[in-house]
C-alpha cells in the first residue's frame, strides 16, 4: 500500500502556500503529478522515493487554500518539522485535473459537482 501523508494545517503568505504535516518527508522527490481520490473528495500530489510513491493528501478542507494559491500562482510547499519541499508543477497539474473533472461523470457526480461549484464557478 502506498504511504499517505495527511496535511494537518495550511498557511498562506504573500509568496507561498505552506502545507504542514507531522509525518517525515525526508528523501521524497516531487512526482509533478496530481491524482484524484473521488471517494474522499481529495486531490493527491504524488511524491517519489527510491522504493515507491507517497501520496500527499489534499483534502476538501484545504481547497480554499489551493484555490487562492492557484489564483495567485504562489509556490506550494509541504513542510515537516524544519524540512520543506516545493511541490513542483503544482499549478499546471491542478488546472489540468480541474479541466478533466469538469462535466466528467467518471469522477462521480458528487465530486464533479463539488469541484465545479468550488473551483470553476464564476
Amino acid at each position: 500500500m502506498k504511504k499517505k501523508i495527511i496535511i494537518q494545517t495550511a498557511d498562506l503568505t504573500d509568496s507561498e502556500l505552506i502545507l504542514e504535516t507531522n509525518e517525515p518527508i525526508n528523501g521524497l522527490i516531487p512526482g509533478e503529478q496530481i491524482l484524484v481520490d473521488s471517494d474522499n473528495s481529495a486531490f493527491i500530489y504524488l511524491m517519489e522515493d527510491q522504493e515507491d510513491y507517497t501520496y500527499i493528501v489534499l483534502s476538501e478542507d484545504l481547497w480554499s487554500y489551493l484555490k487562492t494559491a492557484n489564483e495567485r500562482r504562489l509556490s506550494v510547499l509541504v513542510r515537516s518539522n524544519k524540512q520543506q519541499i516545493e511541490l513542483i508543477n503544482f499549478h499546471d497539474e491542478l488546472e489540468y485535473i480541474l479541466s478533466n473533472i469538469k462535466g466528467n461523470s467518471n469522477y462521480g457526480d458528487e465530486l464533479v459537482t463539488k469541484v465545479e461549484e468550488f473551483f470553476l464557478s464564476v
Side-chain angles (χ1 to χ4, degrees):
M1 185 169 145
K2 307 287 184 236
K3 180 179 177 186
K4 291 183 179 180
I5 293 179
I6 306 299
I7 301 300
Q8 277 81 35
T9 61
D11 183 34
L12 275 169
T13 70
D14 289 337
S15 61
E16 59 193 15
L17 168 61
I18 301 168
L19 304 169
E20 300 262 357
T21 183
N22 294 326
E23 300 177 50
I25 60 171
N26 49 322
L28 294 179
I29 300 166
E32 300 186 39
Q33 187 176 7
I34 294 178
L35 306 174
V36 176
D37 178 351
S38 298
D39 295 337
N40 296 305
S41 297
F43 297 108
I44 306 293
Y45 185 90
L46 279 183
M47 299 287 274
E48 303 173 22
D49 63 19
Q50 293 181 358
E51 298 172 12
D52 209 350
Y53 288 104
T54 297
Y55 296 161
I56 305 294
V57 180
L58 306 170
S59 58
E60 190 174 354
D61 60 332
L62 298 171
W63 286 8
S64 62
Y65 295 100
L66 301 180
K67 183 176 182 180
T68 299
N70 196 48
E71 289 170 348
R72 294 172 46 199
R73 303 306 271 190
L74 303 177
S75 297
V76 180
L77 302 106
V78 63
R79 179 184 293 164
S80 177
N81 298 317
K82 295 182 183 197
Q83 185 175 23
Q84 64 184 28
I85 302 170
E86 183 173 359
L87 303 184
I88 298 170
N89 204 30
F90 185 87
H91 300 295
D92 289 341
E93 278 296 306
L94 182 61
E95 289 174 5
Y96 174 77
I97 207 74
L98 292 175
S99 69
N100 261 340
I101 291 172
K102 184 178 180 181
N104 188 343
S105 62
N106 290 334
Y107 289 98
D109 293 336
E110 183 179 348
L111 180 72
V112 170
T113 299
K114 285 181 182 182
V115 167
E116 287 177 346
E117 288 176 355
F118 193 87
F119 286 98
L120 306 173
S121 63
V122 179

